[in-house]
């Protein structure tokens, strides 16, 4: 009985740390990275969304970061950016350029592909679109 309780508790703790949700801010970024501004709601509060930060690795020793959210959550937010601007996630005003990865109910995924920063898988340093959003 004790073994079952320990295994169950361990599984619950492992699962809860594996799927920790985070909240991040949302901004509207121009497709070419030339401009951005925070997305505010009707009461002038910063828009946020729940999800998980993840890394997407490419075969050429580089990666980019995504904020993974469910399609339902993303659609419920109905972010309203000006024409030519895309909703993008950010932890702060000096974050690099990251994008959303949307998870459909069937488990398939797609990107809301905006301007993004690429990093070296070897050095973890920005290698392309390396500028901070200032």
């Amino acid at each position: 009985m004790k073994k079952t309780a320990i295994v169950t508790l361990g599984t619950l703790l492992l699962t809860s740390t594996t799927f920790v949700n985070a909240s991040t801010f949302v901004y509207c970024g121009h497709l070419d990275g030339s401009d951005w501004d925070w997305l505010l709601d009707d009461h002038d509060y910063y828009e946020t969304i729940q999800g998980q930060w993840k890394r997407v690795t490419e075969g050429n020793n580089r990666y980019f970061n995504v904020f993974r959210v469910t399609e339902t959550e993303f659609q419920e937010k109905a972010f309203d950016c000006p024409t030519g601007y895309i909703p993008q996630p950010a932890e702060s005003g000096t974050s690099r350029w990251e994008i959303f990865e949307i998870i459909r109910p069937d488990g398939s995924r797609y990107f809301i592909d905006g301007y993004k920063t690429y990093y070296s898988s070897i050095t973890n340093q920005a290698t392309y679109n390396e500028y901070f959003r200032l």
Side-chain angles (χ1 to χ4, degrees):
M1 187 66 161
K2 284 185 180 182
K3 282 185 180 181
T4 304
I6 291 172
V7 170
T8 302
L9 178 61
T11 303
L12 287 173
L13 289 174
L14 183 60
T15 303
S16 66
T17 58
T18 304
F19 298 104
V20 172
N21 279 341
S23 178
T24 199
F25 297 105
V26 179
Y27 66 94
C28 294
H30 199 268
L31 290 172
D32 66 5
S34 62
D35 189 35
W36 71 275
D37 201 3
W38 291 113
L39 188 57
L40 303 175
D41 66 15
D42 294 335
H43 304 288
D44 287 335
Y45 293 115
Y46 293 105
E47 286 279 5
T48 61
I49 192 167
Q50 296 282 56
Q52 298 174 322
W53 284 105
K54 297 293 181 180
R55 175 184 289 187
V56 176
T57 304
E58 296 183 337
N60 54 1
N61 289 325
R62 69 181 193 172
Y63 68 90
F64 58 92
N65 294 320
V66 299
F67 194 70
R68 188 177 288 171
V69 301
T70 66
E71 190 172 53
T72 303
E73 174 87 9
F74 192 80
Q75 289 174 346
E76 283 176 1
K77 288 291 187 171
F79 297 125
D80 188 24
C81 290
T83 302
Y85 290 74
I86 301 295
Q88 296 189 237
E91 292 184 328
S92 73
T94 56
S95 297
R96 301 221 190 241
W97 296 86
E98 319 297 2
I99 63 172
F100 282 108
E101 181 179 27
I102 309 301
I103 309 299
R104 292 184 180 112
D106 67 4
S108 63
R109 304 170 183 180
Y110 64 94
F111 299 120
I112 303 296
D113 205 19
Y115 197 69
K116 63 183 168 270
T117 299
Y118 288 93
Y119 304 85
S120 166
S121 296
I122 298 165
T123 65
N124 289 324
Q125 299 294 315
T127 60
Y128 185 73
N129 298 339
E130 66 270 10
Y131 301 107
F132 290 103
R133 292 178 307 99
L134 297 173

